[in-house]
Amino acid sequence: AGIVRFEDVRFAYNPERPILRGVSFEVPAGRTVAIVGPSGAGKSTLSRLLFRFYEPQSGRITIDGQDIATVRQDSLRAAIGMVPQDTVLFNDTIGYNIRYGRWDASETELREAARLAQIDRFIESLPEGYETPVGERGLKLSGGEKQRVAIARTILKAPPILVLDEATSALDSFTEREIQAALDRVSRGRTTLVIAHRLSTVVNADEILVLDQGRVVERGDHAGLLARG
Ligand code: ADP
Ligand code: ADP
């Protein structure tokens, strides 16, 4: 389950300025499709439409054949896990931030999620571990640490569909490799849409779409796109 389809989707925030000009693609169940393209191409807009923050002007978006226009937004949020570019954490403990949305999660599940996101060692180095408050009231986390908390939260929620808005370009290369490994782990076996800025970070995607000015201008796998330059 978890097949995502965009069918000739057109969208504009403002009628004079079309942003998506007929975008079609499918993410087969359990596969990874990456959208790459220059800034302003409309990549993030695609993910906003998938969450129904906006409705397409024409065309449709389906999940397992069902038009998402008929699906409640909270059901979509339950089915789709998002690791955003800039993770905003609650002004609460690290544990709360990982558990968010999964109140029933056990301590064992929490630790396993933290371990998979490679933050367990970091948490153990803190005096009160998971109970340590983040944000204004406590610990200042780096961008990479915040992103790991978001990844751990997503691992714990185990949604059938994932949207990864890649932000590894802002990280140093060591952190970037670690975050990339954690993201690869979360996406294994899940239907995954990756929004990426560089081709080099989506080597493992089953299909890569190049979006430019709201149109898919090329598609293929990593080797194929590199060969075409
Ligand atoms: P990308 O993710 O590829 O950088 P976006 O989807 O964020 O592109 O943006 C595509 C275009 O839509 C950009 O020109 C951007 O300025 C415009 N845009 C994005 N969000 C809004 C908005 N809320 N209102 C109006 N224009 C927007
Ligand atoms: P959860 O389902 O984990 O409780 P939310 O209901 O807050 O989380 O949001 C569902 C997903 O949508 C989250 O993963 C979140 O990152 C993403 N999201 C929420 N608000 C926005 C937004 N304004 N723009 C882009 N993504 C968002």
Side-chain angles (χ1 to χ4, degrees), residues 48 51 53 77-78 80-84 100-101 153 157:
R48 287 177 209 136
F51 280 104
F53 293 133
R77 289 184 186 206
I80 308 169
M82 166 110 175
V83 179
Y100 175 65
R153 178 193 297 170
K157 190 171 146 189

Side-chain angles (χ1 to χ4, degrees), residues 15 22 26 29 31 38 52 60 84 95 98 100 108 112 115 117 126 136 149 183 193 198 211:
E26 177 178 301
R31 296 303 175 109
R52 282 193 68 195
R60 54 177 212 148
I98 300 177
Y100 175 65
T108 313
E112 180 63 6
R115 191 184 66 75
L126 303 171
E136 288 153 41
V149 172
L183 290 175
L193 185 64
R198 285 173 302 157
L211 194 72

Side-chain angles (χ1 to χ4, degrees), residues 154-210:
T154 305
I155 288 171
L156 192 60
K157 190 171 146 189
I161 299 168
L162 269 181
V163 176
L164 308 179
D165 200 341
E166 270 204 1
T168 52
S169 51
L171 306 170
D172 63 81
S173 63
F174 178 73
T175 309
E176 174 175 350
R177 265 195 306 266
E178 286 200 337
I179 298 273
Q180 197 56 54
L183 290 175
D184 285 346
R185 213 175 275 138
V186 210
S187 61
R188 208 163 292 152
R190 290 182 212 292
T191 305
T192 306
L193 185 64
V194 183
I195 293 166
H197 309 282
R198 285 173 302 157
L199 209 49
S200 61
T201 60
V202 293
V203 178
N204 297 323
D206 296 294
E207 188 179 33
I208 301 169
L209 307 180
V210 181

Side-chain angles (χ1 to χ4, degrees), residues 18 23 27 48 71 77 87 93 142 164 180 198 202 216 227:
V23 172
V27 193
R48 287 177 209 136
V71 178
R77 289 184 186 206
T87 299
T93 64
S142 69
L164 308 179
Q180 197 56 54
R198 285 173 302 157
V202 293
V216 176

Side-chain angles (χ1 to χ4, degrees), residues 13-14 17 19 37-46 48 54 195 197 211:
Y13 294 98
N14 161 338
R17 195 163 161 251
I19 300 293
S39 176
K43 305 182 296 293
S44 303
T45 301
L46 289 175
R48 287 177 209 136
Y54 299 94
I195 293 166
H197 309 282
L211 194 72

Side-chain angles (χ1 to χ4, degrees), residues 13-72:
Y13 294 98
N14 161 338
E16 281 90 69
R17 195 163 161 251
I19 300 293
L20 299 177
R21 305 156 183 257
V23 172
S24 301
F25 63 91
E26 177 178 301
V27 193
R31 296 303 175 109
T32 297
V33 170
I35 312 276
V36 301
S39 176
K43 305 182 296 293
S44 303
T45 301
L46 289 175
S47 77
R48 287 177 209 136
L49 294 178
L50 185 58
F51 280 104
R52 282 193 68 195
F53 293 133
Y54 299 94
E55 307 286 335
Q57 261 88 47
S58 69
R60 54 177 212 148
I61 302 168
T62 65
I63 295 178
D64 293 332
Q66 187 177 10
D67 191 330
I68 65 164
T70 67
V71 178
R72 285 168 49 119

